[in-house]
């Protein structure tokens, strides 16, 4: 039997966030090192445009963490690059994400599991969220809009490898499968990371 006090890294992160007066979920520090190089061979095939569906809401909060206490689930960090067809990283690209909670429900009243961010100077993005649940007719997916500065919006969806209903979902596209890894985080435990590099239809 142990009597020592130990806290899950996420709880420690909460303490730290509270201590510096940033308790909002979006204030958490970057949980993993971002990828060091794009997974890209020029000329790269652009990420396919996939249907927006009925649940998009504009004017989302800008934040890296989409997690809320109201909608718990299995944590995942999404990261990767936004690239051109010649594999050039795109800094300052806007990414807007929205997805269902672990039970397959969207927050249509508020902005739980919705948010946007911009790629860094290296063209990299990251978000922290939970793995979405399925809903009738749809395998697990994350909706994404991506826009390079001054360019058109790409609307697409990301998918999870090994999901039993991928093959039954007419909208599924293996070109937008996340690559899932469990990597050492900056806390104590490995972090589930979903990697995807977006390729925009730009030279
Ligand atoms: Fe959807």
């Amino acid at each position: 039997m142990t009597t020592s006090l130990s806290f899950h890294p996420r709880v420690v992160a909460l303490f730290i966030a509270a201590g510096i007066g940033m308790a909002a979920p979006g204030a958490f520090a970057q949980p993993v090192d971002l990828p060091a190089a794009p997974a890209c061979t020029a000329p790269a095939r652009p990420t396919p445009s996939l249907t927006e569906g009925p649940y998009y809401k504009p004017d989302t909060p800008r934040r890296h963490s989409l997690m809320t206490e109201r909608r718990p689930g299995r944590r995942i960090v999404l990261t990767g690059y936004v690239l051109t067809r010649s594999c050039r990283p795109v800094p300052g690209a806007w990414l807007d994400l929205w997805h269902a909670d672990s039970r397959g429900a969207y927050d249509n009243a508020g902005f739980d599991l919705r948010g946007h961010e911009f790629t860094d100077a290296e063209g990299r993005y990251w978000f922290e969220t939970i793995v979405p649940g399925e809903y009738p007719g749809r395998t697990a997916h994350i909706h994404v809009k991506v826009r390079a500065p001054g360019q058109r919006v790409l609307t697409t969806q990301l998918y999870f490898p090994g999901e039993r209903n991928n093959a039954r979902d007419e909208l599924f596209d293996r070109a937008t499968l996340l690559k899932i890894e469990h990597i050492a985080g900056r806390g104590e435990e490995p972090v589930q990371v979903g990697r995807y590099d977006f390729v925009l239809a730009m030279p």
Side-chain angles (χ1 to χ4, degrees):
M1 195 200 306
T2 176
T3 55
S4 71
L5 273 176
S6 72
F7 295 102
H8 187 279
R10 179 115 192 112
V11 176
V12 174
L14 272 166
F15 291 166
I16 293 166
I20 54 176
M22 297 193 299
F28 291 122
Q30 181 189 312
V32 293
D33 291 333
L34 302 189
C40 185
T41 307
R45 184 187 160 213
T47 298
S49 169
L50 300 172
T51 185
E52 175 176 297
Y55 301 118
Y56 179 64
K57 282 175 67 169
D59 306 320
T60 58
R62 179 178 180 178
R63 55 188 175 193
H64 286 288
S65 181
L66 312 184
M67 298 173 78
T68 69
E69 291 186 2
R70 286 186 294 273
R71 294 173 194 269
R74 199 151 55 87
R75 180 187 184 215
I76 186 167
V77 172
L78 304 172
T79 188
Y81 284 81
V82 175
L83 304 165
T84 67
R85 295 201 64 197
S86 52
C87 301
R88 266 187 312 115
V90 181
W94 169 84
L95 296 101
D96 200 8
L97 272 63
W98 72 106
H99 66 83
D101 66 17
S102 59
R103 294 168 310 174
Y106 284 85
D107 179 9
N108 295 315
F111 288 96
D112 289 354
L113 308 179
R114 298 173 185 268
H116 74 273
E117 263 299 343
F118 296 88
T119 51
D120 67 12
E122 271 72 50
R124 300 173 301 191
Y125 69 90
W126 69 272
F127 291 93
E128 173 187 62
T129 191
I130 58 162
V131 176
E134 302 175 340
Y135 56 91
R138 294 307 321 275
T139 191
H141 62 280
I142 293 177
H143 295 272
V144 188
K145 287 180 181 283
V146 188
R147 185 180 57 221
Q151 302 292 315
R152 291 175 153 198
V153 174
L154 166 70
T155 301
T156 191
Q157 304 185 23
L158 299 176
Y159 294 101
F160 293 80
E163 288 287 317
R164 120 188 95 94
N165 283 327
N166 282 348
R168 288 182 223 161
D169 186 331
E170 288 176 2
L171 300 175
F172 173 74
D173 191 327
R174 61 176 44 260
T176 58
L177 273 173
L178 289 162
K179 185 176 168 219
I180 304 290
E181 295 174 309
H182 291 79
I183 65 174
R186 294 179 169 178
E188 291 163 22
E189 294 177 3
V191 177
Q192 179 178 218
V193 174
R195 165 87 184 260
Y196 187 78
D197 291 359
F198 294 92
V199 178
L200 300 179
M202 301 164 59

